[in-house]
Amino acid sequence: MPAREKLQEQVNILREQLEQDPPLPLEKRQALEALLAKFELQLELEPATQPPSISDDVNRAVEGFELDHPGIAATLRNIVVTLGNIGI
């Protein structure tokens, strides 16, 4: 599976987890939704024009979800790997 398709699949999984997981504090939910919006923008851009900061944003999000929402954190880690495979 090409990396872009894998990223889209992981974004979809993350959206499902956001809907299914126990309620998140508003601040965390908004941060995760903003991150999802960035991923979707990434999918539309050419790799050469993509900002490298998205990986840093995802790594910070992993730290924020690791303890209370390990499923979301695992999906975010997969996204970091996929972004690396894309060259971001």
Side-chain angles (χ1 to χ4, degrees):
M1 171 183 298
R4 289 185 165 283
E5 287 178 24
K6 187 170 183 168
L7 181 59
Q8 181 63 59
E9 179 182 311
Q10 291 168 344
V11 166
N12 293 341
I13 290 169
L14 194 55
R15 283 205 181 282
E16 289 173 15
Q17 288 175 322
L18 185 60
E19 292 172 7
Q20 295 173 359
D21 264 15
L24 295 172
L26 182 60
E27 181 180 302
K28 280 192 171 187
R29 178 173 287 282
Q30 289 174 335
L32 192 54
E33 287 174 353
L35 198 53
L36 284 167
K38 281 185 180 184
F39 293 146
E40 290 171 345
L41 178 62
Q42 294 292 110
L43 291 168
E44 295 174 14
L45 296 175
E46 291 299 316
T49 63
Q50 296 175 348
S53 66
I54 187 80
S55 293
D56 294 336
D57 293 344
V58 179
N59 282 320
R60 280 190 295 277
V62 167
E63 293 171 9
F65 286 96
E66 205 158 30
L67 293 176
D68 296 331
H69 303 280
I72 290 175
T75 302
L76 290 169
R77 277 190 216 93
N78 289 338
I79 288 172
V80 169
V81 171
T82 303
L83 289 172
N85 291 340
I86 293 173
I88 299 172

